Each structure stands twice: as structure tokens, then as C-alpha cells.
Amino acid sequence: MLVVGLTGGIGAGKSTAATRLAERGATVIDVDAIGRQVLAPGGRAEQGVIDAFGSGVVDDHGHIDRAKVAAEVFGHPERLAALEAISHPAINAELDIQLQELAERGEARVVVLDMAVLTESRLGQLESGRGYTQVVVVEAPEDARLPRLLERGLTEEQARARMASQASDEQRRALADYVIVNDGTPDDLADAVDQVWAELTSE
């Protein structure tokens, strides 16, 4: 079973690429969704985050309010690092369980870990050895990404801040086995993803 890390900057087209890979036959795991899961009521990281950040990040029911957590860490690298020190090991533990189950069932030939912060973190790097061994990066020029982010409802200032807070294209490329440049039409992106899929499944 081949495990692939898929990443890209906000607005680059990573999610579209993940959807196309799923259509081609990949089993896609949304790592961001696991991140939400570990902070949910009863999640692996819930109590640790509450203990570390205090009552200011909980809702009326005593559970984590993700918007409050986001406000607490955005623009504060030390607070973000504290959050990730709790949440990322919890995410990796959940990932490890899912990958073990997939391996035991023997149904998945290629598993794609769809994650925004592959470059900036150790997510998907598992002590069990079940983590990703190939990296696919989707990138697009800033002037292509900005209109997509504005369509999502972000202001230009918010969009530029989000892009600036993430790893650079150069940093992502340094880890990449495959780079997909999404600067054309949706069909161009689909064709590029199909080419990567062909190479991944030919090994």
C-alpha cells in the first residue's frame, strides 16, 4: 500500500486534485478533518487543549470553540506551536489507526493524505512506518490563487495574510516527488493529476 502526502498552498487547487485522485481510485484521508475530530467533544486532544489554553477557548457547554482557538493562535507563533504540540500527535495517532485498518483490509492500493501543513509539520510522519513515502505538491501563482480566495469570501488582506502564513512554493518543492502546477484550466489540472496517478500506480 503506497501512502502519499498531498499538499499545496491555500487556493492552489489541492482539494480539487484530491477529488480527482479519488475518482481515479485513491483512498483519500482528509487530515484537516481529523484535526477537527481530535478537538471535538471526547476527541484525543480536547482536554489537553482546554488545559493549556483555559476557559477562554470553550463554549457554553465546556467544549472547544474552534473559532476562539483560531483567534487565540492566529498571528501568535508561540501559541500556534503550543496548540500543534498537543493536536498533531493526536492527529498522527488517529492517522496511524486508519492506515493500519486499511492495510489489514488490503483494499487500498494508494492512500492519499490530503493535508495543508505537510511542509510545516510532522503530520503524516509516523513512528510505525505507515506514514507517507511520496509527496505531491499542487501549486499555483499568487495571481491565480487570490481570485479563488476572494470567491470564498475572504478579503484581499485576509487572503494575502493566509498565503503569507504558509510555507513557500520553494519550501514545498524541496520535499516534493511530484509538482502539479495549476495555472491553466480545470481540464489541465485533471490531466496533470492523471499523469501523476499513472506514475504513482506504475511503481
Side-chain angles (χ1 to χ4, degrees), residues 1-5 25-29 94-113 124 126 128-134 197 200-201 203:
M1 186 175 82
L2 175 64
V3 181
V4 178
T27 298
V28 176
I29 296 176
E94 293 289 346
L95 259 182
D96 207 12
I97 291 169
Q98 291 190 29
L99 289 170
Q100 182 178 6
E101 290 174 348
L102 286 169
E104 288 173 352
R105 290 204 300 269
E107 299 165 358
R109 182 180 176 192
V110 178
V111 179
V112 174
L113 307 182
L126 307 180
S128 66
R130 280 187 281 267
Y132 63 80
T133 57
Q134 299 275 297
W197 175 255
L200 289 172
T201 53
E203 296 180 0

PDB file of all heavy atoms in Angstrom, residues 1-5 25-29 94-113 124 126 128-134 197 200-201 203:
ATOM      1  N   MET A   1       0.853  -1.195   0.000  1.00  0.00           N
ATOM      2  CA  MET A   1       0.000   0.000   0.000  1.00  0.00           C
ATOM      3  C   MET A   1       0.883   1.237   0.000  1.00  0.00           C
ATOM      4  O   MET A   1       1.710   1.421   0.885  1.00  0.00           O
ATOM      5  CB  MET A   1      -0.890  -0.016   1.254  1.00  0.00           C
ATOM      6  CG  MET A   1      -1.920   1.096   1.295  1.00  0.00           C
ATOM      7  SD  MET A   1      -3.036   0.929   2.725  1.00  0.00           S
ATOM      8  CE  MET A   1      -2.049   1.657   4.033  1.00  0.00           C
ATOM      9  N   LEU A   2       0.732   2.063  -1.010  1.00  0.00           N
ATOM     10  CA  LEU A   2       1.508   3.291  -1.132  1.00  0.00           C
ATOM     11  C   LEU A   2       0.758   4.423  -0.434  1.00  0.00           C
ATOM     12  O   LEU A   2      -0.424   4.652  -0.701  1.00  0.00           O
ATOM     13  CB  LEU A   2       1.723   3.633  -2.606  1.00  0.00           C
ATOM     14  CG  LEU A   2       2.424   4.960  -2.913  1.00  0.00           C
ATOM     15  CD1 LEU A   2       3.851   4.959  -2.370  1.00  0.00           C
ATOM     16  CD2 LEU A   2       2.421   5.231  -4.419  1.00  0.00           C
ATOM     17  N   VAL A   3       1.460   5.142   0.454  1.00  0.00           N
ATOM     18  CA  VAL A   3       0.861   6.280   1.153  1.00  0.00           C
ATOM     19  C   VAL A   3       1.533   7.550   0.648  1.00  0.00           C
ATOM     20  O   VAL A   3       2.760   7.687   0.685  1.00  0.00           O
ATOM     21  CB  VAL A   3       1.016   6.162   2.678  1.00  0.00           C
ATOM     22  CG1 VAL A   3       0.355   7.355   3.372  1.00  0.00           C
ATOM     23  CG2 VAL A   3       0.394   4.853   3.178  1.00  0.00           C
ATOM     24  N   VAL A   4       0.704   8.472   0.155  1.00  0.00           N
ATOM     25  CA  VAL A   4       1.175   9.691  -0.491  1.00  0.00           C
ATOM     26  C   VAL A   4       0.701  10.902   0.303  1.00  0.00           C
ATOM     27  O   VAL A   4      -0.475  10.981   0.682  1.00  0.00           O
ATOM     28  CB  VAL A   4       0.631   9.785  -1.940  1.00  0.00           C
ATOM     29  CG1 VAL A   4       1.068  11.084  -2.609  1.00  0.00           C
ATOM     30  CG2 VAL A   4       1.059   8.572  -2.747  1.00  0.00           C
ATOM     31  N   GLY A   5       1.588  11.836   0.553  1.00  0.00           N
ATOM     32  CA  GLY A   5       1.198  13.108   1.146  1.00  0.00           C
ATOM     33  C   GLY A   5       0.877  14.100   0.044  1.00  0.00           C
ATOM     34  O   GLY A   5       1.679  14.286  -0.883  1.00  0.00           O
ATOM     35  N   GLY A  25      -9.207   6.296  -8.149  1.00  0.00           N
ATOM     36  CA  GLY A  25      -9.125   5.075  -7.364  1.00  0.00           C
ATOM     37  C   GLY A  25      -8.380   5.190  -6.048  1.00  0.00           C
ATOM     38  O   GLY A  25      -8.269   4.208  -5.306  1.00  0.00           O
ATOM     39  N   ALA A  26      -7.845   6.362  -5.737  1.00  0.00           N
ATOM     40  CA  ALA A  26      -7.133   6.534  -4.480  1.00  0.00           C
ATOM     41  C   ALA A  26      -8.111   6.565  -3.307  1.00  0.00           C
ATOM     42  O   ALA A  26      -9.260   6.991  -3.446  1.00  0.00           O
ATOM     43  CB  ALA A  26      -6.318   7.829  -4.497  1.00  0.00           C
ATOM     44  N   THR A  27      -7.642   6.115  -2.158  1.00  0.00           N
ATOM     45  CA  THR A  27      -8.368   6.304  -0.902  1.00  0.00           C
ATOM     46  C   THR A  27      -7.825   7.581  -0.277  1.00  0.00           C
ATOM     47  O   THR A  27      -6.635   7.657   0.058  1.00  0.00           O
ATOM     48  CB  THR A  27      -8.142   5.109   0.054  1.00  0.00           C
ATOM     49  OG1 THR A  27      -8.644   3.922  -0.564  1.00  0.00           O
ATOM     50  CG2 THR A  27      -8.834   5.344   1.384  1.00  0.00           C
ATOM     51  N   VAL A  28      -8.657   8.602  -0.162  1.00  0.00           N
ATOM     52  CA  VAL A  28      -8.204   9.907   0.327  1.00  0.00           C
ATOM     53  C   VAL A  28      -8.608  10.081   1.781  1.00  0.00           C
ATOM     54  O   VAL A  28      -9.775   9.894   2.146  1.00  0.00           O
ATOM     55  CB  VAL A  28      -8.783  11.056  -0.535  1.00  0.00           C
ATOM     56  CG1 VAL A  28      -8.372  12.412   0.041  1.00  0.00           C
ATOM     57  CG2 VAL A  28      -8.314  10.928  -1.982  1.00  0.00           C
ATOM     58  N   ILE A  29      -7.635  10.445   2.612  1.00  0.00           N
ATOM     59  CA  ILE A  29      -7.895  10.762   4.012  1.00  0.00           C
ATOM     60  C   ILE A  29      -7.709  12.266   4.200  1.00  0.00           C
ATOM     61  O   ILE A  29      -6.632  12.808   3.911  1.00  0.00           O
ATOM     62  CB  ILE A  29      -6.945   9.996   4.953  1.00  0.00           C
ATOM     63  CG1 ILE A  29      -7.183   8.487   4.841  1.00  0.00           C
ATOM     64  CG2 ILE A  29      -7.126  10.456   6.397  1.00  0.00           C
ATOM     65  CD1 ILE A  29      -6.220   7.650   5.675  1.00  0.00           C
ATOM     66  N   GLU A  94      -4.491   9.077  15.290  1.00  0.00           N
ATOM     67  CA  GLU A  94      -5.699   8.695  14.555  1.00  0.00           C
ATOM     68  C   GLU A  94      -5.346   8.220  13.141  1.00  0.00           C
ATOM     69  O   GLU A  94      -5.918   7.244  12.636  1.00  0.00           O
ATOM     70  CB  GLU A  94      -6.672   9.876  14.483  1.00  0.00           C
ATOM     71  CG  GLU A  94      -7.268  10.298  15.814  1.00  0.00           C
ATOM     72  CD  GLU A  94      -8.279   9.296  16.357  1.00  0.00           C
ATOM     73  OE1 GLU A  94      -8.712   8.410  15.584  1.00  0.00           O
ATOM     74  OE2 GLU A  94      -8.618   9.396  17.550  1.00  0.00           O
ATOM     75  N   LEU A  95      -4.416   8.923  12.509  1.00  0.00           N
ATOM     76  CA  LEU A  95      -3.979   8.532  11.165  1.00  0.00           C
ATOM     77  C   LEU A  95      -3.410   7.124  11.165  1.00  0.00           C
ATOM     78  O   LEU A  95      -3.700   6.314  10.272  1.00  0.00           O
ATOM     79  CB  LEU A  95      -2.890   9.497  10.682  1.00  0.00           C
ATOM     80  CG  LEU A  95      -3.248  10.608   9.709  1.00  0.00           C
ATOM     81  CD1 LEU A  95      -1.994  11.391   9.361  1.00  0.00           C
ATOM     82  CD2 LEU A  95      -3.897  10.052   8.462  1.00  0.00           C
ATOM     83  N   ASP A  96      -2.594   6.840  12.170  1.00  0.00           N
ATOM     84  CA  ASP A  96      -1.955   5.535  12.251  1.00  0.00           C
ATOM     85  C   ASP A  96      -2.995   4.419  12.341  1.00  0.00           C
ATOM     86  O   ASP A  96      -2.865   3.377  11.686  1.00  0.00           O
ATOM     87  CB  ASP A  96      -1.025   5.495  13.463  1.00  0.00           C
ATOM     88  CG  ASP A  96       0.113   4.509  13.284  1.00  0.00           C
ATOM     89  OD1 ASP A  96       0.313   4.021  12.160  1.00  0.00           O
ATOM     90  OD2 ASP A  96       0.813   4.230  14.265  1.00  0.00           O
ATOM     91  N   ILE A  97      -4.028   4.651  13.134  1.00  0.00           N
ATOM     92  CA  ILE A  97      -5.099   3.669  13.268  1.00  0.00           C
ATOM     93  C   ILE A  97      -5.792   3.443  11.926  1.00  0.00           C
ATOM     94  O   ILE A  97      -6.024   2.304  11.504  1.00  0.00           O
ATOM     95  CB  ILE A  97      -6.116   4.119  14.337  1.00  0.00           C
ATOM     96  CG1 ILE A  97      -5.487   4.050  15.729  1.00  0.00           C
ATOM     97  CG2 ILE A  97      -7.384   3.265  14.282  1.00  0.00           C
ATOM     98  CD1 ILE A  97      -6.310   4.728  16.808  1.00  0.00           C
ATOM     99  N   GLN A  98      -6.122   4.542  11.236  1.00  0.00           N
ATOM    100  CA  GLN A  98      -6.821   4.415   9.953  1.00  0.00           C
ATOM    101  C   GLN A  98      -5.963   3.695   8.924  1.00  0.00           C
ATOM    102  O   GLN A  98      -6.452   2.848   8.158  1.00  0.00           O
ATOM    103  CB  GLN A  98      -7.232   5.797   9.443  1.00  0.00           C
ATOM    104  CG  GLN A  98      -8.323   6.458  10.278  1.00  0.00           C
ATOM    105  CD  GLN A  98      -8.891   7.701   9.618  1.00  0.00           C
ATOM    106  OE1 GLN A  98      -8.906   7.819   8.391  1.00  0.00           O
ATOM    107  NE2 GLN A  98      -9.364   8.638  10.425  1.00  0.00           N
ATOM    108  N   LEU A  99      -4.677   4.025   8.877  1.00  0.00           N
ATOM    109  CA  LEU A  99      -3.790   3.391   7.900  1.00  0.00           C
ATOM    110  C   LEU A  99      -3.586   1.911   8.228  1.00  0.00           C
ATOM    111  O   LEU A  99      -3.519   1.070   7.316  1.00  0.00           O
ATOM    112  CB  LEU A  99      -2.449   4.122   7.861  1.00  0.00           C
ATOM    113  CG  LEU A  99      -2.496   5.515   7.227  1.00  0.00           C
ATOM    114  CD1 LEU A  99      -1.183   6.248   7.448  1.00  0.00           C
ATOM    115  CD2 LEU A  99      -2.811   5.431   5.737  1.00  0.00           C
ATOM    116  N   GLN A 100      -3.505   1.584   9.508  1.00  0.00           N
ATOM    117  CA  GLN A 100      -3.373   0.180   9.895  1.00  0.00           C
ATOM    118  C   GLN A 100      -4.610  -0.611   9.466  1.00  0.00           C
ATOM    119  O   GLN A 100      -4.499  -1.713   8.935  1.00  0.00           O
ATOM    120  CB  GLN A 100      -3.166   0.048  11.404  1.00  0.00           C
ATOM    121  CG  GLN A 100      -2.977  -1.393  11.867  1.00  0.00           C
ATOM    122  CD  GLN A 100      -2.719  -1.505  13.357  1.00  0.00           C
ATOM    123  OE1 GLN A 100      -2.773  -0.533  14.079  1.00  0.00           O
ATOM    124  NE2 GLN A 100      -2.430  -2.720  13.807  1.00  0.00           N
ATOM    125  N   GLU A 101      -5.782  -0.011   9.677  1.00  0.00           N
ATOM    126  CA  GLU A 101      -7.022  -0.696   9.290  1.00  0.00           C
ATOM    127  C   GLU A 101      -7.086  -0.899   7.779  1.00  0.00           C
ATOM    128  O   GLU A 101      -7.500  -1.963   7.297  1.00  0.00           O
ATOM    129  CB  GLU A 101      -8.231   0.101   9.786  1.00  0.00           C
ATOM    130  CG  GLU A 101      -8.395   0.065  11.304  1.00  0.00           C
ATOM    131  CD  GLU A 101      -9.503   0.975  11.802  1.00  0.00           C
ATOM    132  OE1 GLU A 101      -9.998   1.802  10.988  1.00  0.00           O
ATOM    133  OE2 GLU A 101      -9.872   0.874  12.984  1.00  0.00           O
ATOM    134  N   LEU A 102      -6.678   0.118   7.025  1.00  0.00           N
ATOM    135  CA  LEU A 102      -6.681  -0.012   5.563  1.00  0.00           C
ATOM    136  C   LEU A 102      -5.714  -1.100   5.113  1.00  0.00           C
ATOM    137  O   LEU A 102      -6.016  -1.888   4.216  1.00  0.00           O
ATOM    138  CB  LEU A 102      -6.310   1.328   4.915  1.00  0.00           C
ATOM    139  CG  LEU A 102      -7.385   2.409   4.938  1.00  0.00           C
ATOM    140  CD1 LEU A 102      -6.788   3.749   4.518  1.00  0.00           C
ATOM    141  CD2 LEU A 102      -8.548   2.050   4.020  1.00  0.00           C
ATOM    142  N   ALA A 103      -4.536  -1.133   5.738  1.00  0.00           N
ATOM    143  CA  ALA A 103      -3.544  -2.151   5.373  1.00  0.00           C
ATOM    144  C   ALA A 103      -4.054  -3.551   5.683  1.00  0.00           C
ATOM    145  O   ALA A 103      -3.864  -4.488   4.889  1.00  0.00           O
ATOM    146  CB  ALA A 103      -2.235  -1.877   6.109  1.00  0.00           C
ATOM    147  N   GLU A 104      -4.719  -3.688   6.825  1.00  0.00           N
ATOM    148  CA  GLU A 104      -5.229  -5.007   7.217  1.00  0.00           C
ATOM    149  C   GLU A 104      -6.338  -5.479   6.283  1.00  0.00           C
ATOM    150  O   GLU A 104      -6.449  -6.673   5.995  1.00  0.00           O
ATOM    151  CB  GLU A 104      -5.722  -4.955   8.657  1.00  0.00           C
ATOM    152  CG  GLU A 104      -4.589  -4.859   9.682  1.00  0.00           C
ATOM    153  CD  GLU A 104      -5.079  -4.640  11.095  1.00  0.00           C
ATOM    154  OE1 GLU A 104      -6.302  -4.406  11.271  1.00  0.00           O
ATOM    155  OE2 GLU A 104      -4.260  -4.673  12.025  1.00  0.00           O
ATOM    156  N   ARG A 105      -7.160  -4.529   5.812  1.00  0.00           N
ATOM    157  CA  ARG A 105      -8.246  -4.912   4.895  1.00  0.00           C
ATOM    158  C   ARG A 105      -7.712  -5.214   3.498  1.00  0.00           C
ATOM    159  O   ARG A 105      -8.335  -5.946   2.731  1.00  0.00           O
ATOM    160  CB  ARG A 105      -9.299  -3.802   4.826  1.00  0.00           C
ATOM    161  CG  ARG A 105     -10.103  -3.657   6.105  1.00  0.00           C
ATOM    162  CD  ARG A 105     -11.449  -3.010   5.860  1.00  0.00           C
ATOM    163  NE  ARG A 105     -11.353  -1.680   5.286  1.00  0.00           N
ATOM    164  CZ  ARG A 105     -11.301  -0.561   6.004  1.00  0.00           C
ATOM    165  NH1 ARG A 105     -11.318  -0.614   7.327  1.00  0.00           N
ATOM    166  NH2 ARG A 105     -11.237   0.611   5.414  1.00  0.00           N
ATOM    167  N   GLY A 106      -6.573  -4.612   3.169  1.00  0.00           N
ATOM    168  CA  GLY A 106      -5.938  -4.886   1.882  1.00  0.00           C
ATOM    169  C   GLY A 106      -6.702  -4.373   0.680  1.00  0.00           C
ATOM    170  O   GLY A 106      -6.490  -4.845  -0.438  1.00  0.00           O
ATOM    171  N   GLU A 107      -7.576  -3.385   0.910  1.00  0.00           N
ATOM    172  CA  GLU A 107      -8.419  -2.896  -0.193  1.00  0.00           C
ATOM    173  C   GLU A 107      -7.827  -1.683  -0.900  1.00  0.00           C
ATOM    174  O   GLU A 107      -8.225  -1.363  -2.018  1.00  0.00           O
ATOM    175  CB  GLU A 107      -9.806  -2.522   0.352  1.00  0.00           C
ATOM    176  CG  GLU A 107     -10.545  -3.683   0.992  1.00  0.00           C
ATOM    177  CD  GLU A 107     -11.728  -3.231   1.820  1.00  0.00           C
ATOM    178  OE1 GLU A 107     -11.942  -2.008   1.931  1.00  0.00           O
ATOM    179  OE2 GLU A 107     -12.438  -4.107   2.362  1.00  0.00           O
ATOM    180  N   ALA A 108      -6.898  -0.991  -0.237  1.00  0.00           N
ATOM    181  CA  ALA A 108      -6.382   0.265  -0.783  1.00  0.00           C
ATOM    182  C   ALA A 108      -5.005   0.063  -1.392  1.00  0.00           C
ATOM    183  O   ALA A 108      -4.083  -0.409  -0.720  1.00  0.00           O
ATOM    184  CB  ALA A 108      -6.319   1.329   0.309  1.00  0.00           C
ATOM    185  N   ARG A 109      -4.874   0.423  -2.641  1.00  0.00           N
ATOM    186  CA  ARG A 109      -3.569   0.344  -3.307  1.00  0.00           C
ATOM    187  C   ARG A 109      -2.780   1.631  -3.071  1.00  0.00           C
ATOM    188  O   ARG A 109      -1.578   1.598  -2.830  1.00  0.00           O
ATOM    189  CB  ARG A 109      -3.770   0.127  -4.814  1.00  0.00           C
ATOM    190  CG  ARG A 109      -2.473  -0.028  -5.579  1.00  0.00           C
ATOM    191  CD  ARG A 109      -2.752  -0.240  -7.056  1.00  0.00           C
ATOM    192  NE  ARG A 109      -1.515  -0.304  -7.824  1.00  0.00           N
ATOM    193  CZ  ARG A 109      -1.481  -0.257  -9.149  1.00  0.00           C
ATOM    194  NH1 ARG A 109      -2.607  -0.172  -9.857  1.00  0.00           N
ATOM    195  NH2 ARG A 109      -0.325  -0.307  -9.788  1.00  0.00           N
ATOM    196  N   VAL A 110      -3.477   2.766  -3.180  1.00  0.00           N
ATOM    197  CA  VAL A 110      -2.850   4.070  -2.946  1.00  0.00           C
ATOM    198  C   VAL A 110      -3.723   4.855  -1.969  1.00  0.00           C
ATOM    199  O   VAL A 110      -4.926   5.010  -2.192  1.00  0.00           O
ATOM    200  CB  VAL A 110      -2.696   4.882  -4.257  1.00  0.00           C
ATOM    201  CG1 VAL A 110      -2.078   6.253  -3.968  1.00  0.00           C
ATOM    202  CG2 VAL A 110      -1.861   4.115  -5.270  1.00  0.00           C
ATOM    203  N   VAL A 111      -3.104   5.328  -0.886  1.00  0.00           N
ATOM    204  CA  VAL A 111      -3.791   6.171   0.087  1.00  0.00           C
ATOM    205  C   VAL A 111      -3.179   7.572   0.012  1.00  0.00           C
ATOM    206  O   VAL A 111      -1.951   7.722   0.065  1.00  0.00           O
ATOM    207  CB  VAL A 111      -3.651   5.619   1.521  1.00  0.00           C
ATOM    208  CG1 VAL A 111      -4.355   6.546   2.516  1.00  0.00           C
ATOM    209  CG2 VAL A 111      -4.219   4.211   1.609  1.00  0.00           C
ATOM    210  N   VAL A 112      -4.031   8.579  -0.104  1.00  0.00           N
ATOM    211  CA  VAL A 112      -3.579   9.963  -0.198  1.00  0.00           C
ATOM    212  C   VAL A 112      -3.954  10.696   1.081  1.00  0.00           C
ATOM    213  O   VAL A 112      -5.129  10.724   1.469  1.00  0.00           O
ATOM    214  CB  VAL A 112      -4.213  10.675  -1.417  1.00  0.00           C
ATOM    215  CG1 VAL A 112      -3.858  12.157  -1.419  1.00  0.00           C
ATOM    216  CG2 VAL A 112      -3.736  10.018  -2.711  1.00  0.00           C
ATOM    217  N   LEU A 113      -2.951  11.257   1.735  1.00  0.00           N
ATOM    218  CA  LEU A 113      -3.182  12.084   2.913  1.00  0.00           C
ATOM    219  C   LEU A 113      -3.273  13.529   2.453  1.00  0.00           C
ATOM    220  O   LEU A 113      -2.267  14.158   2.100  1.00  0.00           O
ATOM    221  CB  LEU A 113      -2.045  11.916   3.928  1.00  0.00           C
ATOM    222  CG  LEU A 113      -1.691  10.492   4.356  1.00  0.00           C
ATOM    223  CD1 LEU A 113      -0.589  10.514   5.407  1.00  0.00           C
ATOM    224  CD2 LEU A 113      -2.918   9.751   4.864  1.00  0.00           C
ATOM    225  N   GLY A 124       1.656  13.056   9.412  1.00  0.00           N
ATOM    226  CA  GLY A 124       1.818  12.018   8.409  1.00  0.00           C
ATOM    227  C   GLY A 124       3.150  11.306   8.460  1.00  0.00           C
ATOM    228  O   GLY A 124       3.380  10.347   7.714  1.00  0.00           O
ATOM    229  N   LEU A 126       4.935   8.941  10.635  1.00  0.00           N
ATOM    230  CA  LEU A 126       4.509   8.078  11.730  1.00  0.00           C
ATOM    231  C   LEU A 126       5.631   7.146  12.174  1.00  0.00           C
ATOM    232  O   LEU A 126       6.331   6.561  11.344  1.00  0.00           O
ATOM    233  CB  LEU A 126       3.294   7.258  11.289  1.00  0.00           C
ATOM    234  CG  LEU A 126       2.116   8.068  10.718  1.00  0.00           C
ATOM    235  CD1 LEU A 126       0.989   7.127  10.320  1.00  0.00           C
ATOM    236  CD2 LEU A 126       1.636   9.100  11.715  1.00  0.00           C
ATOM    237  N   SER A 128       5.403   4.319  13.306  1.00  0.00           N
ATOM    238  CA  SER A 128       5.121   2.942  12.892  1.00  0.00           C
ATOM    239  C   SER A 128       5.678   2.617  11.512  1.00  0.00           C
ATOM    240  O   SER A 128       5.747   1.453  11.120  1.00  0.00           O
ATOM    241  CB  SER A 128       3.610   2.719  12.872  1.00  0.00           C
ATOM    242  OG  SER A 128       3.019   3.532  11.850  1.00  0.00           O
ATOM    243  N   GLY A 129       6.045   3.667  10.761  1.00  0.00           N
ATOM    244  CA  GLY A 129       6.492   3.455   9.392  1.00  0.00           C
ATOM    245  C   GLY A 129       5.369   3.447   8.379  1.00  0.00           C
ATOM    246  O   GLY A 129       5.595   3.244   7.187  1.00  0.00           O
ATOM    247  N   ARG A 130       4.128   3.673   8.861  1.00  0.00           N
ATOM    248  CA  ARG A 130       2.979   3.636   7.954  1.00  0.00           C
ATOM    249  C   ARG A 130       2.704   4.986   7.290  1.00  0.00           C
ATOM    250  O   ARG A 130       1.742   5.114   6.537  1.00  0.00           O
ATOM    251  CB  ARG A 130       1.728   3.172   8.704  1.00  0.00           C
ATOM    252  CG  ARG A 130       1.638   1.669   8.887  1.00  0.00           C
ATOM    253  CD  ARG A 130       0.310   1.265   9.489  1.00  0.00           C
ATOM    254  NE  ARG A 130       0.286   1.487  10.929  1.00  0.00           N
ATOM    255  CZ  ARG A 130       0.599   0.556  11.833  1.00  0.00           C
ATOM    256  NH1 ARG A 130       0.969  -0.641  11.443  1.00  0.00           N
ATOM    257  NH2 ARG A 130       0.560   0.832  13.123  1.00  0.00           N
ATOM    258  N   GLY A 131       3.496   6.007   7.569  1.00  0.00           N
ATOM    259  CA  GLY A 131       3.235   7.342   7.025  1.00  0.00           C
ATOM    260  C   GLY A 131       3.549   7.443   5.541  1.00  0.00           C
ATOM    261  O   GLY A 131       3.893   6.455   4.870  1.00  0.00           O
ATOM    262  N   TYR A 132       3.449   8.666   5.018  1.00  0.00           N
ATOM    263  CA  TYR A 132       3.645   8.872   3.577  1.00  0.00           C
ATOM    264  C   TYR A 132       5.119   8.658   3.196  1.00  0.00           C
ATOM    265  O   TYR A 132       6.038   8.933   3.965  1.00  0.00           O
ATOM    266  CB  TYR A 132       3.159  10.248   3.148  1.00  0.00           C
ATOM    267  CG  TYR A 132       3.894  11.426   3.756  1.00  0.00           C
ATOM    268  CD1 TYR A 132       5.130  11.847   3.264  1.00  0.00           C
ATOM    269  CD2 TYR A 132       3.344  12.147   4.817  1.00  0.00           C
ATOM    270  CE1 TYR A 132       5.793  12.920   3.810  1.00  0.00           C
ATOM    271  CE2 TYR A 132       4.003  13.227   5.378  1.00  0.00           C
ATOM    272  CZ  TYR A 132       5.222  13.614   4.868  1.00  0.00           C
ATOM    273  OH  TYR A 132       5.884  14.680   5.422  1.00  0.00           O
ATOM    274  N   THR A 133       5.299   8.147   1.977  1.00  0.00           N
ATOM    275  CA  THR A 133       6.641   7.946   1.434  1.00  0.00           C
ATOM    276  C   THR A 133       6.846   8.714   0.135  1.00  0.00           C
ATOM    277  O   THR A 133       7.963   8.766  -0.384  1.00  0.00           O
ATOM    278  CB  THR A 133       6.923   6.456   1.172  1.00  0.00           C
ATOM    279  OG1 THR A 133       5.927   5.942   0.272  1.00  0.00           O
ATOM    280  CG2 THR A 133       6.892   5.661   2.480  1.00  0.00           C
ATOM    281  N   GLN A 134       5.771   9.298  -0.390  1.00  0.00           N
ATOM    282  CA  GLN A 134       5.841  10.133  -1.591  1.00  0.00           C
ATOM    283  C   GLN A 134       5.071  11.424  -1.294  1.00  0.00           C
ATOM    284  O   GLN A 134       4.103  11.415  -0.529  1.00  0.00           O
ATOM    285  CB  GLN A 134       5.202   9.438  -2.796  1.00  0.00           C
ATOM    286  CG  GLN A 134       5.857   8.119  -3.186  1.00  0.00           C
ATOM    287  CD  GLN A 134       7.047   8.332  -4.096  1.00  0.00           C
ATOM    288  OE1 GLN A 134       6.910   8.836  -5.198  1.00  0.00           O
ATOM    289  NE2 GLN A 134       8.234   7.930  -3.628  1.00  0.00           N
ATOM    290  N   TRP A 197      -0.981  10.258 -11.232  1.00  0.00           N
ATOM    291  CA  TRP A 197      -1.608   8.984 -10.833  1.00  0.00           C
ATOM    292  C   TRP A 197      -0.999   7.817 -11.618  1.00  0.00           C
ATOM    293  O   TRP A 197      -0.695   6.759 -11.053  1.00  0.00           O
ATOM    294  CB  TRP A 197      -3.106   9.056 -11.067  1.00  0.00           C
ATOM    295  CG  TRP A 197      -3.822   7.761 -10.798  1.00  0.00           C
ATOM    296  CD1 TRP A 197      -4.323   6.889 -11.730  1.00  0.00           C
ATOM    297  CD2 TRP A 197      -4.081   7.170  -9.529  1.00  0.00           C
ATOM    298  NE1 TRP A 197      -4.880   5.796 -11.127  1.00  0.00           N
ATOM    299  CE2 TRP A 197      -4.760   5.943  -9.762  1.00  0.00           C
ATOM    300  CE3 TRP A 197      -3.841   7.554  -8.216  1.00  0.00           C
ATOM    301  CZ2 TRP A 197      -5.169   5.102  -8.736  1.00  0.00           C
ATOM    302  CZ3 TRP A 197      -4.245   6.718  -7.192  1.00  0.00           C
ATOM    303  CH2 TRP A 197      -4.913   5.509  -7.450  1.00  0.00           C
ATOM    304  N   LEU A 200       2.372   7.112 -10.124  1.00  0.00           N
ATOM    305  CA  LEU A 200       2.281   6.509  -8.797  1.00  0.00           C
ATOM    306  C   LEU A 200       1.893   5.032  -8.880  1.00  0.00           C
ATOM    307  O   LEU A 200       2.400   4.209  -8.113  1.00  0.00           O
ATOM    308  CB  LEU A 200       1.254   7.259  -7.945  1.00  0.00           C
ATOM    309  CG  LEU A 200       1.617   8.660  -7.461  1.00  0.00           C
ATOM    310  CD1 LEU A 200       0.406   9.322  -6.810  1.00  0.00           C
ATOM    311  CD2 LEU A 200       2.776   8.617  -6.471  1.00  0.00           C
ATOM    312  N   THR A 201       1.009   4.715  -9.786  1.00  0.00           N
ATOM    313  CA  THR A 201       0.497   3.341  -9.863  1.00  0.00           C
ATOM    314  C   THR A 201       1.324   2.449 -10.772  1.00  0.00           C
ATOM    315  O   THR A 201       1.049   1.257 -10.882  1.00  0.00           O
ATOM    316  CB  THR A 201      -0.958   3.338 -10.339  1.00  0.00           C
ATOM    317  OG1 THR A 201      -1.078   4.078 -11.578  1.00  0.00           O
ATOM    318  CG2 THR A 201      -1.870   3.974  -9.303  1.00  0.00           C
ATOM    319  N   GLU A 203       4.552   2.070 -10.225  1.00  0.00           N
ATOM    320  CA  GLU A 203       5.699   1.616  -9.427  1.00  0.00           C
ATOM    321  C   GLU A 203       5.446   0.232  -8.824  1.00  0.00           C
ATOM    322  O   GLU A 203       4.320  -0.132  -8.576  1.00  0.00           O
ATOM    323  CB  GLU A 203       5.978   2.623  -8.305  1.00  0.00           C
ATOM    324  CG  GLU A 203       6.394   3.992  -8.861  1.00  0.00           C
ATOM    325  CD  GLU A 203       6.670   4.989  -7.745  1.00  0.00           C
ATOM    326  OE1 GLU A 203       6.533   4.626  -6.549  1.00  0.00           O
ATOM    327  OE2 GLU A 203       7.014   6.125  -8.065  1.00  0.00           O
TER     328      GLU A 203
END
